[in-house]
Amino acid sequence: MGAQLVEVTAMSIVTLPQGAADDQLGISFGGGSPPQFAYVDPKSPLSGQVSVGQYCHGISLPGVDIVQLQDPSHLMNLIRSNQHSERRELMISNSPTYIDPSVLPSYQDPNASRSVLYKHTLPTMEPLGVFLTGFPPYISRIDPNSKLHGALQVNQTVQALVIPGQEVFHLQSGGFTNGNVIRRLDETSHIPGRQLVVKDVFIGKRTAGSNAATDDCCVIS
């Protein structure tokens, strides 16, 4: 039987105090996956909001939601390196299983929740300067002048495009080629709140059954 979906409504959002260092939060995580609260100091600013045994499935930072977290050290590094960010919000659940809605059709696959996803908020009405190649689409180049330079990384694979008010466009939708992703982005450039969902897995060009239409490089203009 496949992994069971944890609905978004089962999540609680906990805001970390801006400027608070990780050693001032009074929390620690065990060594399992996903990160599980192993200790909450009674004097912690999070006391009463999180409990030992709960799980952290994601963190929201300025411009990006990082979800399906696997490694406690990765989570603590994100908390530490964004100490002074205006937004640090943890996604907390009582369940160890969470699969993000952007890859929802994969929930029957037990491996679906084993990849960290980066959900980058896209600017509106301006060139993105991101080049996509292959199938599934992956990032082959990022213009140095792009607002996403330093956020997106070359070789990350595109998992989904989330556009408010529309169905999520993802690998299970059919026709999820680099050209179609770019067309969707061009057609919705005026809509705020769009997210490009990527993960840190490189999938090279197909050698068998390759399709020239999906192997060509395209630019998100």
Side-chain angles (χ1 to χ4, degrees), residues 90-125:
L90 302 182
M91 295 172 53
I92 309 299
S93 170
N94 292 326
S95 171
T97 303
Y98 172 74
I99 300 176
D100 190 76
S102 65
V103 292
L104 180 58
S106 297
Y107 74 90
Q108 293 178 338
D109 178 0
N111 295 318
S113 63
R114 294 180 183 172
S115 297
V116 179
L117 299 179
Y118 301 82
K119 304 175 69 175
H120 292 275
T121 301
L122 303 176
T124 57
M125 302 304 294

Side-chain angles (χ1 to χ4, degrees), residues 6-180:
V6 176
E7 299 290 348
V8 175
T9 52
M11 288 287 172
S12 59
I13 305 299
V14 176
T15 301
L16 303 183
Q18 186 175 2
D22 57 311
D23 58 356
Q24 296 174 317
L25 295 176
I27 57 174
S28 65
F29 296 93
S33 175
Q36 185 178 27
F37 286 93
Y39 174 73
V40 181
D41 192 300
K43 297 181 180 179
S44 166
L46 305 184
S47 180
Q49 300 180 71
V50 299
S51 303
V52 171
Q54 288 187 308
Y55 298 88
C56 181
H57 292 286
I59 181 169
S60 294
L61 302 169
V64 63
D65 300 327
I66 305 172
V67 299
Q68 298 186 175
L69 292 170
Q70 307 296 311
D71 184 0
S73 62
H74 181 205
L75 172 58
M76 289 307 298
N77 284 338
L78 290 169
I79 291 173
R80 186 178 302 113
S81 60
N82 290 277
Q83 175 181 346
H84 299 289
S85 296
E86 61 185 18
R87 184 188 187 207
R88 290 190 301 173
E89 298 174 347
L90 302 182
M91 295 172 53
I92 309 299
S93 170
N94 292 326
S95 171
T97 303
Y98 172 74
I99 300 176
D100 190 76
S102 65
V103 292
L104 180 58
S106 297
Y107 74 90
Q108 293 178 338
D109 178 0
N111 295 318
S113 63
R114 294 180 183 172
S115 297
V116 179
L117 299 179
Y118 301 82
K119 304 175 69 175
H120 292 275
T121 301
L122 303 176
T124 57
M125 302 304 294
E126 63 179 275
L128 299 180
V130 178
F131 295 78
L132 302 182
T133 300
F135 180 82
Y138 70 90
I139 297 169
S140 58
R141 186 161 70 88
I142 303 169
D143 191 303
N145 296 318
S146 170
K147 284 190 175 181
L148 298 171
H149 189 269
L152 293 171
Q153 303 296 324
V154 170
N155 288 338
Q156 287 181 319
T157 60
V158 178
Q159 300 297 296
L161 175 60
V162 180
I163 302 170
Q166 299 184 17
E167 290 187 5
V168 177
F169 186 44
H170 43 53
L171 286 168
Q172 290 77 36
S173 300
F176 193 77
T177 65
N178 50 37
N180 285 337

Side-chain angles (χ1 to χ4, degrees), residues 157-220:
T157 60
V158 178
Q159 300 297 296
L161 175 60
V162 180
I163 302 170
Q166 299 184 17
E167 290 187 5
V168 177
F169 186 44
H170 43 53
L171 286 168
Q172 290 77 36
S173 300
F176 193 77
T177 65
N178 50 37
N180 285 337
V181 171
I182 290 163
R183 277 191 287 275
R184 290 283 187 99
L185 286 166
D186 288 343
E187 293 167 355
T188 60
S189 63
H190 61 288
I191 300 178
R194 299 175 303 161
Q195 289 184 313
L196 191 67
V197 184
V198 300
K199 71 176 183 178
D200 289 331
V201 176
F202 173 72
I203 302 176
K205 185 184 295 185
R206 292 178 174 179
T207 55
S210 181
N211 185 327
T214 60
D215 286 341
D216 290 340
C217 178
C218 296
V219 59
I220 301 176

